[in-house]
Amino acid sequence: MKVDVLLGLQWGDEGKGKVVDVLTPHYDVVARFQGGPNAGHTLEFEEKKYVLRSIPSGIFQHGQINIIGNGVVLDPVLFMDEAESLMHSGVDLKHVLKISKKAHLIMPTHRLLDAAYEKLKGDAKIGTTGKGIGPTYTDKVSRNGLRIGDIFCNFDEKYRIAKNRHLNLLNALGEAVDIAEAEAKWLGAIEYLKQYDIIDSEFVVNKYLSEGKKILCEGAQGSMLDVDFGSYPFVTSSNTVCAGACAGLGVAPNKIGEVYGIFKAYCTRVGSGPFPTELHDETGAKIRDIGHEYGAVTGRERRCGWIDLVALRYTIMLNGVTQLIMMKSDVLDGFETVKVCNAYRVNGVETRDFPYDIEHGIEPVYTEMEGWNVDMTSITSPDQFPRQFKDYISYLEKELNVPITIISVGPDRKQTIDLRNNR
Ligand code: GDP
Ligand code: IMO
Ligand code: MG
């Protein structure tokens, strides 16, 4: 058996949470492989809306196992709040959720360091989510991190050493800190964590595979935020690409099956950093308005622009995408024409390849297409798609060379058109 991977192809917030929820009935297990509470994955069904940050998006279906993998960084306080609120809504979390011993812990001092480093960068700040993601992954890579498995063995000592190292760093950065309150809450949340099934997830995942169980790996962020391939340094601190699923769950590369790449019919980005197709005009504001493009976690305005096929071709290549999923088709309903960036002019020379530097001298080259001008939100089958929308899809498929197999026409679970049995 192989695992399937679902991940974002743009700068995050593509709609991963919604699609994981929709696909979960076809799987036995859903597993998050990287990122942490910087993620905000929104699900809507039965007139309710949920935003998940650390817990996989497969928990609302029918008893599937959900795993937080070793590649994830976990803030126990945010986890506790999220878990309690889900259980309050009737989710039987304790029976379906398993957490890797090797996932790293976000400490209160990681969040303070995140803020201090951002302050130090001044105008060049990344615009992080402020959740301590960068400093936690830094500690992991520099071999100073605390892992969930550590909470069962000599934890006080390990915590004290890590905390003191952070306090020295904060002191050197000129930050006066008082962590007493946050620390007490955090230590309480560590105790809370102990009631969950904390496992050697790489063995469990591989055992499930050998038993023929179907596993869906859920990515966070998007490929353009990948620490190696994204718009560095304006990226997150993990590998968000498909290879992250191997490292973040202990799945061998030859065990990867389908790779679902998700993108919006347009493009958004939150935080700083280059965004070649960004619209600074009323069209951008209109997309933001209609698409409710505000951060699920931070509430920050998302920057909006036209779809960028140069970047999509790049991320499709990096991930080995086998199926494309297009989200938020309904948001472009009211546009007479829509634009697609199919090439960049880099210092006057046209290219279809994604360049090293997308910050300077880049001019998007657009193809303008007829808009569809039809309310897409109530469409239930592909034969109801307007001709102009079908043309849009065909154009993208031809230029991206991968089939679009699922189309989302609204935020609700039901507003999803699966083309796989319909063409
Ligand atoms: P994620 O981080 O990739 O899971 O995406 P987010 O949840 O941060 O952002 C996606 C937003 O778009 C959420 O508010 C979803 O409810 C919403 N959404 C998802 N699919 C659609 C769609 O097809 N149409 C519209 N209008 N909204 C959608
Ligand atoms: P989901 O999973 C969109 C962005 C931040 C910032 C950069 C680094 O919901 O798609 P970090 O806190 O990770 O150090 O911030 O990455 N970012 C996201 N943008 N969606 C996300 O997650 C993001 N997670 C991080 O805005 O620019
Ligand atoms: Mg999000």
Side-chain angles (χ1 to χ4, degrees), residues 11-14 16 38-41 114 126-131 133-134 219-222 225 234-237 269-272 300:
W11 275 281
D13 301 328
E14 295 88 350
K16 299 172 290 293
N38 47 349
H41 294 180
D114 195 355
I126 311 290
T128 73
T129 57
K131 298 291 179 288
I133 304 297
Q221 290 77 58
L225 289 169
F234 300 100
V235 294
T236 191
S237 299
R269 165 161 213 175
V270 58
S272 332
R300 288 184 293 175

Side-chain angles (χ1 to χ4, degrees), residues 14-19 21-22 42-45 265-266 290-292 325-333 372 375-380 385 389 406-417:
E14 295 88 350
K16 299 172 290 293
K18 167 179 167 167
V19 180
D21 173 61
V22 167
T42 314
L43 290 74
E44 284 192 40
F45 53 91
Y266 49 96
I290 301 173
H292 304 293
I325 301 179
M326 188 169 95
M327 310 300 290
K328 302 195 107 165
S329 317
D330 53 302
V331 174
L332 298 186
D333 278 1
W372 34 96
D375 174 13
M376 296 282 286
T377 55
S378 45
I379 283 186
T380 52
F385 286 151
F389 184 70
I406 297 176
I407 289 173
S408 176
V409 294
D412 193 90
R413 199 187 252 176
K414 291 199 184 119
Q415 292 171 302
T416 314
I417 319 267

Side-chain angles (χ1 to χ4, degrees), residues 115-280:
Y117 291 139
E118 282 285 85
K119 193 164 118 193
L120 209 63
K121 278 179 178 275
D123 287 346
K125 72 172 188 211
I126 311 290
T128 73
T129 57
K131 298 291 179 288
I133 304 297
T136 307
Y137 278 115
T138 303
D139 273 358
K140 171 178 175 172
V141 174
S142 64
R143 297 153 296 179
N144 288 307
L146 286 182
R147 301 189 290 180
I148 291 181
D150 291 331
I151 67 180
F152 300 106
C153 176
N154 201 16
F155 184 65
D156 293 350
E157 174 72 357
K158 289 175 187 159
Y159 171 67
R160 192 182 54 75
I161 292 169
K163 177 183 76 174
N164 286 339
R165 205 170 39 77
H166 293 164
L167 291 177
N168 285 337
L169 278 171
L170 286 161
N171 192 28
L173 293 169
E175 297 290 330
V177 296
D178 175 7
I179 61 159
E181 199 182 318
E183 180 176 58
K185 205 167 169 202
W186 190 82
L187 290 170
I190 290 285
E191 286 307 311
Y192 174 86
L193 210 49
K194 289 181 179 166
Q195 61 192 299
Y196 285 86
D197 198 8
I198 297 181
I199 58 164
D200 292 300
S201 57
E202 64 277 33
F203 285 108
V204 172
V205 164
N206 282 286
K207 180 169 155 287
Y208 285 157
L209 284 178
S210 65
E211 290 169 356
K213 289 200 163 64
K214 294 191 74 186
I215 301 181
L216 178 63
C217 308
E218 173 180 1
Q221 290 77 58
S223 302
M224 290 308 300
L225 289 169
D226 180 271
V227 66
D228 278 282
F229 301 107
S231 45
Y232 193 88
F234 300 100
V235 294
T236 191
S237 299
S238 62
N239 278 119
T240 59
V241 293
C242 190
C246 297
L249 286 169
V251 170
N254 63 354
K255 295 270 170 58
I256 303 285
E258 293 294 323
V259 181
Y260 300 104
I262 299 213
F263 65 100
K264 287 179 190 174
Y266 49 96
C267 193
T268 64
R269 165 161 213 175
V270 58
S272 332
F275 178 5
T277 60
E278 180 170 13
L279 293 164
H280 297 279

